[in-house]
Amino acid sequence: MEVMIYPSYEEQCRAAAREVADVLNAKPNAVLGMATGSTPLGLYQELVRIHKRGELDFSHVTTFNLDEYVGLPITHAQSYHHFMHENFFSHVNIPPANIHIPSGTTTNYRAFCEWYERRIVEAGGIDLQVLGIGTDGHIAFNEPGSSLSSRTRLKTLARSTIDDNARFFDRREDVPIYAITMGVGTIMEARHLVLLANGARKADAIAAAVEGPVTAMITASALQMHPSCRVFLDEPAAGKLKMREYYDWIQVHKPGAPKV
Ligand code: PGA
């Protein structure tokens, strides 16, 4: 894991957007894994800005979203279909046929999940996966106890996740209890991972994921086993990292390392 800490959320998002842009410039038909939630909003805004300046083309890009609530129609204001359309897809030029978001309304979840996994493989695998982290250490909706080799499946949300996400709904009872989510094993097969976290409420989860033991109790800790994972943080989210000084040292000295 490479930990990068920025003085502000805006700078953190700009740096993460550069990472996405670098992948697209090297491979215009890259496959991107998308995340929802409040965390990646700034990243999407920055990507839209670069696109509108005419410096980033998404016309050959394929996307796969991490997860979706079960039971919400795609037109529901809190569905991840709606979120992605509002905040990203309607502002860039990804062909609609290339966009994949898990279905929260299928009548056959098992078959849908198998199809979703197959589609990722058929598309050539995910080149860059964007990730947020839950206060319980989840990535996507892989709640504590999820197998670290899990695949796309229907998942029962933790109470803490329902509490966290209640802020987006009129009433807590309106938050769905189930979601369809890529598994930890699915995420680990992406070639490159970008994990974003901001704000002090993520500091414990980040410390556990980055510096704690690898455990299914904090599914983000599985990312320690990934060969190419960058963690983009603002200062408050980095507040509980014990090795902070070393991460700063690396950021200063890495650019001067001998080029292989
Ligand atoms: P948030 O959610 O970005 O809204 O904090 C992150 C997550 O639960 O993965």
Side-chain angles (χ1 to χ4, degrees):
M1 273 176 160
E2 190 171 356
V3 179
M4 336 265 275
I5 301 157
Y6 297 89
S8 69
Y9 175 66
E10 288 69 31
E11 284 170 77
Q12 173 194 357
C13 291
R14 271 202 295 277
R18 272 196 301 276
E19 190 100 346
V20 176
D22 284 349
V23 167
L24 291 191
N25 286 327
K27 185 178 179 185
N29 65 342
V31 178
L32 299 180
M34 315 304 286
T36 49
S38 51
T39 309
L41 274 175
L43 164 64
Y44 296 151
Q45 283 161 5
E46 183 61 19
L47 288 173
V48 169
R49 268 195 289 274
I50 303 174
H51 171 71
K52 296 239 188 275
R53 289 204 304 263
E55 294 166 14
L56 199 52
D57 174 34
F58 290 87
S59 63
H60 301 291
V61 166
T62 297
T63 64
F64 288 89
N65 263 78
L66 286 171
D67 45 20
E68 177 60 287
Y69 288 119
V70 163
L72 294 190
I74 60 174
T75 50
H76 190 286
Q78 294 309 325
S79 79
Y80 289 166
H81 280 77
H82 188 261
F83 175 100
M84 288 307 300
H85 184 76
E86 286 293 298
N87 294 300
F88 190 55
F89 293 143
S90 63
H91 307 288
V92 295
N93 62 335
I94 302 172
N98 291 5
I99 293 171
H100 303 82
I101 303 177
S103 168
T105 53
T106 175
T107 54
N108 189 335
Y109 282 95
R110 185 180 296 267
F112 182 86
C113 292
E114 284 170 10
W115 174 83
Y116 203 71
E117 290 272 342
R118 256 196 330 273
R119 279 296 304 136
I120 295 173
V121 173
E122 285 164 8
I126 293 170
D127 291 297
L128 182 150
Q129 175 68 59
V130 177
L131 295 165
I133 186 170
T135 54
D136 65 355
H138 70 205
I139 42 172
F141 275 131
N142 293 287
E143 302 288 31
S146 292
S147 162
L148 299 186
S149 58
S150 51
R151 313 301 307 190
T152 303
R153 70 208 182 289
L154 196 136
K155 188 77 196 154
T156 307
L157 301 182
R159 279 179 205 267
S160 61
T161 297
I162 293 171
D163 290 341
D164 284 349
N165 291 357
R167 68 189 193 278
F168 300 116
F169 290 80
D170 291 338
R171 298 172 312 162
R172 188 187 185 280
E173 308 85 83
D174 295 340
V175 186
I177 294 173
Y178 306 102
I180 182 165
T181 180
M182 276 190 208
V184 181
T186 321
I187 292 166
M188 290 293 283
E189 284 173 10
R191 292 181 190 94
H192 182 56
L193 303 177
V194 167
L195 174 66
L196 297 161
N198 64 294
R201 72 187 188 96
K202 297 294 174 68
D204 284 320
I206 283 294
V210 175
E211 296 180 340
V214 174
T215 166
M217 291 298 115
I218 301 283
T219 53
S221 66
L223 307 184
Q224 293 176 30
M225 306 287 287
H226 196 283
S228 180
C229 176
R230 283 215 167 123
V231 184
F232 292 80
L233 305 173
D234 68 354
E235 289 286 347
K240 297 210 171 158
L241 290 170
K242 292 197 174 63
M243 300 289 285
R244 166 67 195 262
E245 209 184 310
Y246 181 49
Y247 307 137
D248 290 345
W249 172 263
I250 291 171
Q251 291 320 308
V252 171
H253 292 286
K254 195 169 176 176
K259 302 285 177 272
V260 284

